[in-house]
Amino acid sequence: MKNFFTLSLTSFVFSSALWIIWYFFVVQIEGNPNWLGSLFYLPHAARVLCIVYFGWKAIPALFLAELWGPSFSLLDIESLINVIPGLLSVLSVPLALQTLHWLGFTLGNTSASPLNKRNYKHIALITLISAIYNSLIVNLMLTRFSMSSSEIGIDQIVRFFVGDMLGTTIVLMFLVISLRPLLNSKKVN
Amino acid sequence: MKKFFIDIADALNMLAGIENALNINDFSPNELRVFYTIISNEAKSGCQSNITNVVESSGMSRSTVYKTLRKLSGEGIIALDQSPDDKREYLITFS
């Protein structure tokens, strides 16, 4: 229980921090064009990293951050519109992990594991598959239930995919640079 | 709680892998000083540095500069080529 609380809090703070940073940059570019922010969607990194390293237990906290993130208020009626797309976005990562598991690549943390969470290339693969799922499923959902104010085309699906990939890459680069003293002092095995 | 720290250690290992792949090396204070001396010398004079220039500009001993340059050369950051004019002198180029 203590572990659940710790990792939930870590996931929520990490995801919320990425929402705030992302929102700050979106405000800077003043949404011009209004989809520019979706080309570097930082919060996807929180979904991938927290679910890969903490497992399913991180899902409730990530979902909560997903609801809070876009409007920074859980009481905002607009956040309720994001319930289903937000949940689907979070679930895109476990879905990617499950797909890889079905293909015989089970996640582990040793070099013998077919999918090794210590290997950044494997994390990139999980990000790629989850980004595909996220862009397809969320946009399908938005189209099916007419939840989007603008018309959804293939360009929006591609934008979602590129945004998730690029956003995760930016966050990983930022973490590598900012945690360098720790990485060099520890060189964990 | 132990599991949480194992998860964090796994994440740090993954980030360390990216750092290694990007070949971001950590400079020691001496390496940093020599490195910046070479860059500033080249920027000021517009020509290739040699060991004597670096010793004079950095204020470090010749043996320390030589040892540091050897290390940087071993890491593939710079290359040391014998000067065509003076066989005892080495010219420094960035790899």
Side-chain angles (χ1 to χ4, degrees), chain B:
Chain B
M1 203 62 181
K2 195 183 166 197
K3 170 88 174 66
F4 175 75
F5 288 112
I6 293 170
D7 292 336
I8 296 292
D10 285 339
L12 290 175
N13 262 303
M14 184 273 290
L15 294 174
I18 298 177
E19 191 194 25
N20 287 339
L22 291 174
N23 200 18
I24 308 172
N25 297 300
D26 248 354
F27 286 133
S28 69
N30 277 350
E31 287 166 359
L32 211 57
R33 201 161 152 192
V34 167
F35 189 74
Y36 283 121
T37 306
I38 300 166
I39 293 174
S40 55
N41 276 356
E42 289 205 14
K44 278 179 208 161
S45 64
C47 55
Q48 230 173 347
S49 280
N50 57 36
I51 296 180
T52 307
N53 295 147
V54 179
V55 171
E56 285 167 0
S57 311
S58 66
M60 295 161 78
S61 72
R62 194 174 178 89
S63 67
T64 307
V65 168
Y66 188 74
K67 219 184 294 175
T68 310
L69 287 172
R70 277 276 170 221
K71 191 160 184 290
L72 291 174
S73 167
E75 286 170 3
I77 296 162
I78 57 158
L80 295 172
D81 304 308
Q82 209 163 38
S83 168
D85 306 326
D86 183 353
K87 297 288 176 202
R88 291 166 303 173
E89 194 58 87
Y90 282 94
L91 296 174
I92 305 160
T93 45
F94 287 103
S95 303

Side-chain angles (χ1 to χ4, degrees), chain A residues 1-9 56-57, chain B residues 1 4:
Chain A
M1 194 63 191
K2 197 178 170 189
N3 191 42
F4 177 75
F5 178 75
T6 311
L7 64 87
S8 292
L9 188 68
W56 62 268
K57 290 176 186 169
Chain B
M1 203 62 181
F4 175 75

Side-chain angles (χ1 to χ4, degrees), chain A residues 53 109 118 120 180 184 188, chain B residues 7 10 13 19 21 24 26:
Chain A
Y53 292 101
N109 61 355
R118 292 179 171 198
Y120 72 92
R180 278 187 70 208
N184 288 314
V188 268
Chain B
D7 292 336
D10 285 339
N13 262 303
E19 191 194 25
I24 308 172
D26 248 354

Side-chain angles (χ1 to χ4, degrees), chain A residues 101-179:
Chain A
H101 176 71
W102 283 328
L103 293 170
F105 301 102
T106 308
L107 187 67
N109 61 355
T110 63
S111 51
S113 311
L115 201 62
N116 181 3
K117 60 170 89 169
R118 292 179 171 198
N119 188 331
Y120 72 92
K121 290 172 189 165
H122 295 184
I123 302 299
L125 179 69
I126 297 165
T127 308
L128 179 87
I129 298 173
S130 64
I132 293 170
Y133 279 142
N134 186 34
S135 55
L136 287 176
I137 297 171
V138 171
N139 281 305
L140 194 71
M141 174 79 195
L142 294 173
T143 314
R144 180 73 182 81
F145 295 98
S146 309
M147 289 167 82
S148 176
S149 53
S150 57
E151 202 176 313
I152 295 166
I154 192 80
D155 58 326
Q156 179 157 320
I157 295 171
V158 172
R159 258 194 336 259
F160 268 49
F161 171 74
V162 172
D164 286 350
M165 291 299 294
L166 208 58
T168 307
T169 308
I170 292 168
V171 173
L172 287 177
M173 289 301 124
F174 173 77
L175 288 175
V176 168
I177 292 164
S178 56
L179 295 176

